[in-house]
Amino acid sequence: MAVAPPDNGTPPDSGRPRNGFDRYFEVTARGSTMSRELRGGLATFFTMAYIVVLNPLILGRAVDGAGNTLPIPAIAAATALVAGLMTILMGVVGRFPLAVAAGLGVNALVAYEIAPEMTWADAMGLVVIEGVIIAVLVLTGLRTAVFRSVPTQMKTAIGVGIGLFLTIIGLVDAGFVRRLPDVANTTVPVGLGIGGKLSSWPTLVFVLGLLLTLVLVVRRVKGAILIGILAATALALVVEQLGNVGPSLVNGVPNPKGWSLNVPTLPSDPFRMPDLSLLGRFNVLGSWGRAGWLVVLMFIFTLLITDFFDTMGTMVAVGQEGGMLDDRGTPPRAKEILLVDSIAAASGGAASVSSNTAYIESAAGVAEGARTGVANLVTGVLFLLAMFLAPLVVIVPFEAASIALVVVGFLMMSAVRTIDWSDYEIAVPAFLTIVLMPFTFSISNGIGAGLIVYVVMKLAKGKSREIHPLLYAVAALFVVYFLRGPIESLLY
């Protein structure tokens, strides 16, 4: 299942720890070096630093049931703080190169579905409750047991699906692929660039950066992905300086040829004191009386399912990318990884930045050679610095960071060869797992559909004994998850 990273050098003194730090993090034992971990940590940070900008835009634009909004500068500071601390905690406790930050998708759920039914403090209190529940499931061994009950080839399919998911995220963020206007006679939902043409400077920056990175990967150049991101960022700075491209939205008016999120310019004042006023502003009891217990339970269930299985898929995909899974498709210290992830979920709610979870962009760091929690120390420290140096963080545009997502998507896709496509009992659910992740923009949707169909296929063939008992319960929960719309309409 392992995919060789661009950096394929042999670590010196292989197998013998150099010191206590090396021994604790198993740097040499996992075939890594400090330089690889450093590059991996940098690559991971650059590919997910956008969350410091994007999370405030999602949460800060929403209004809660009392008509209140959250201050954007405070969201940005708290987003960086929690991401930094939880990423470091994952590195120290999980010792696995899996960075953590506010989860996309979950933050939109909190902002546009949960908060309007209550106050912001109540909504974040539900995130804290969800994180505590997941922590209990980890400590009782149930979350780890569910993870291990998933067949190995389905875990491989999860990794492949996430690779395709990363690819389409990268292509869309870079503007290479765009949603077509909802007009008559439109036969396809997405297309190439603008009107079928690559007619924007930001997209050209992405294309040139991607080609450079792919050449470096093919030539096995150390730090290929990181070099590609930095080179594309440098080109973006020049393009913006000469062409004054601007953002994709100017005073509320769309600018399709603009930069998708960050405008790459050198800041005049790179230092900013963080506003941490949102820390601790949550209420775990208020939502029950304000929104009603049925509504609250459905919200908690949705948060729980999304966090529970997104992390499981991410953990598998990152481990698969670095060849760190055992013969059952399980990474080392799985219980510790899942426990830190649950603590991160609760911490995100406690800091009013929504649930924090493992980031699949961590695969960019693994592709650079990261194999241990040392890479997390690098990424985490950079997030903490981002609280004070936020203007510098936004220099890297989506168009440059997206290069890593496409390259990593390719590397993860190569594991598809290990799935037995001649066995339809595993091939059909694996196929659905793979395709539904990118087509629905959700890891959980792909896992849920795949596991439901896996159970159905086995039952149809009279092989119920081959199904782990926990998978029946998981499949049933996913049925409820997919039908939660009709269920909610019946309940309230």
Side-chain angles (χ1 to χ4, degrees), residues 352-374:
S352 298
V353 295
S354 181
S355 176
N356 272 233
T357 187
Y359 258 58
I360 188 54
E361 282 87 345
S362 306
V366 173
E368 280 292 349
R371 294 293 182 272
T372 77
V374 176

Side-chain angles (χ1 to χ4, degrees), residues 9 11 27 125 132 169 188 194 197 228 243 300 342 349 391 412 431 435 468 477:
V27 177
V132 171
I169 289 174
V188 292
I194 303 172
K197 301 176 183 177
I300 292 176
S342 63
M412 295 173 68
F431 167 74
V435 299
H468 193 287
L477 287 173

Side-chain angles (χ1 to χ4, degrees), residues 135-296:
V136 171
L137 294 178
V138 174
L139 292 173
T140 58
L142 182 59
R143 194 179 188 188
T144 307
V146 169
F147 174 76
R148 289 175 175 164
S149 71
V150 177
T152 300
Q153 290 196 64
M154 284 297 292
K155 290 177 181 175
T156 301
I158 290 169
V160 173
I162 290 176
L164 287 179
F165 184 34
L166 278 178
T167 301
I168 194 169
I169 289 174
L171 294 175
V172 170
D173 286 350
F176 191 89
V177 172
R178 301 182 186 229
R179 183 181 294 108
L180 298 183
D182 294 325
V183 296
N185 301 321
T186 298
T187 57
V188 292
V190 294
L192 176 68
I194 303 172
K197 301 176 183 177
L198 300 178
S199 54
S200 73
W201 285 108
T203 303
L204 178 62
V205 168
F206 164 75
V207 171
L208 294 177
L210 178 61
L211 288 174
L212 169 64
T213 307
L214 290 174
V215 169
L216 296 176
V217 168
V218 170
R219 294 181 64 86
R220 304 285 181 178
V221 174
K222 294 181 179 181
I225 293 174
L226 185 57
I227 292 171
I229 293 173
L230 295 177
T233 299
L235 178 59
L237 286 168
V238 174
V239 168
E240 178 59 27
Q241 184 68 30
L242 297 178
N244 194 25
V245 177
S248 59
L249 195 66
V250 181
N251 297 323
V253 179
N255 173 26
K257 294 186 179 182
W259 303 97
S260 56
L261 181 63
N262 302 342
V263 178
T265 55
L266 292 174
S268 57
D269 183 15
F271 184 82
R272 182 185 300 166
M273 288 300 295
D275 177 359
L276 301 178
S277 60
L278 288 177
L279 300 185
R281 287 172 53 177
F282 67 97
N283 184 354
V284 298
L285 299 176
S287 57
W288 300 87
R290 186 180 295 268
W293 68 273
L294 281 176
V295 175
V296 169

